[in-house]
Amino acid sequence: MFLKARAAKAAITGLALLLTACQTAQPPGSQGAVPTSPTVQTVSLPVAGFAPSTAQERGFSALVLNASTGAELYAVSADAPRFPASLTKMMTLYMLFEAVSSGRYSLSSPLEVSANAASQPPAKIGLKAGTTITVEQAARALAVKSANDVGVAVAENLAGSEAAFARQMTQKARSLGLSRTRFVNATGLPDPAQVTTARDMAKLGLALKRRFPQYASYYRARSFVYNGRTFRATNNLLGKVQGVDGLKTGYIRMSGYNLVATANRGGKQLIVVVMGGASETARDAEVTRLIEAHL
């Protein structure tokens, strides 16, 4: 009886940890509710193609690469499994741009908005079910506002369902050398099975900018206008830190505050990744410090 009771207690504890890991995203502006020191809970999960790994909630990682040569300039836990949050949308953008490059879509092609897409939680731009959004509008909304409703609309139009699109995203990740990344959705909304590393996110950011340089202005934009509303960029460093020209932010409670940033000064180019920041301010300060130290 004693052993059975212990086993039952362990099962309940494990379930509680899993539920904690699946919390819904907290709005990025609600920084006051975020602890100043990272939580150290971990979630065991399988990553497609290799042995199960353990992703640490709000685990800190950082990486600085010379964006021209790929040389590593600085690293802290760059290969440790982390939750990508909305850094995921770099791959959503990559897949969308690839569909345009192949001729399957043009920038003016309409994407249909389903009730499922329209019902996604913020951040969003307020898409209405039964309407359409152009590919260009979708790309700008993803790059600037990190809109979840748009991410799901893109996934459903390109692959028929978000689940099918996520499988394609993971396949593309493998082809790009992102060996420790698995996608299960197109947005980065909380899911303990969606995992990556700082190094993989740096590789993805570089691939996105190198393969599709014609869209570089999307990541530099400080705002995006849709349906009469102006949405401010989530990347706070644009226009504030000299040379910063993109790329993507991310936040869910499981991940902490993430940022992949690119910067260019005097012809020297960097890509800087910080994951698991304790607050938006702390994350931005660390990325800024790393840019100043290496440019």
Side-chain angles (χ1 to χ4, degrees), residues 30-115:
S30 304
Q31 295 176 17
V34 180
T36 54
S37 59
T39 305
V40 294
Q41 294 177 342
T42 58
V43 179
S44 295
L45 53 110
V47 180
F50 54 90
S53 61
T54 301
Q56 181 180 328
E57 289 193 26
R58 301 180 189 173
F60 181 81
S61 293
L63 181 66
V64 182
L65 300 180
N66 182 314
S68 300
T69 65
E72 181 179 302
L73 306 177
Y74 176 88
V76 175
S77 302
D79 297 300
R82 301 288 184 242
F83 300 112
S86 282
L87 301 186
T88 296
K89 295 186 180 82
M90 290 192 293
M91 182 60 84
T92 304
L93 281 165
Y94 191 100
M95 303 288 284
L96 183 59
F97 293 151
E98 195 167 63
V100 173
S101 179
S102 71
R104 182 181 171 194
Y105 289 90
S106 70
L107 291 177
S108 61
S109 295
L111 302 174
E112 297 180 358
V113 180
S114 71

Side-chain angles (χ1 to χ4, degrees), residues 225-231:
V225 178
Y226 177 75
N227 203 24
R229 293 179 61 192
T230 299
F231 299 92

Side-chain angles (χ1 to χ4, degrees), residues 8 37 41 107 135 140 173-174 176 196-197 220 228 234 260:
S37 59
Q41 294 177 342
L107 291 177
V135 167
R140 291 185 181 277
R174 294 294 173 272
L176 294 174
T196 189
T197 66
R220 291 196 302 267
T234 60
V260 174

Side-chain angles (χ1 to χ4, degrees), residues 14-32:
L15 179 59
L17 286 174
L18 181 58
L19 290 173
T20 299
C22 295
Q23 298 175 83
T24 55
Q26 178 175 313
S30 304
Q31 295 176 17

Side-chain angles (χ1 to χ4, degrees), residues 86 89 92 96 111-135 137-158 161-162 165 185-189 224 226-227 229 231 248:
S86 282
K89 295 186 180 82
T92 304
L96 183 59
L111 302 174
E112 297 180 358
V113 180
S114 71
N116 178 49
S119 69
Q120 296 301 306
K124 61 196 298 182
I125 62 170
L127 294 180
K128 303 298 183 184
T131 63
T132 62
I133 182 172
T134 68
V135 167
Q137 288 173 320
R140 291 185 181 277
L142 290 171
V144 175
K145 179 57 179 174
S146 194
N148 294 322
D149 49 358
V150 175
V152 174
V154 168
E156 292 177 341
N157 279 266
L158 265 62
S161 71
E162 188 176 13
F165 186 71
N185 63 50
T187 60
L189 285 169
F224 163 73
Y226 177 75
N227 203 24
R229 293 179 61 192
F231 299 92
K248 190 74 194 71

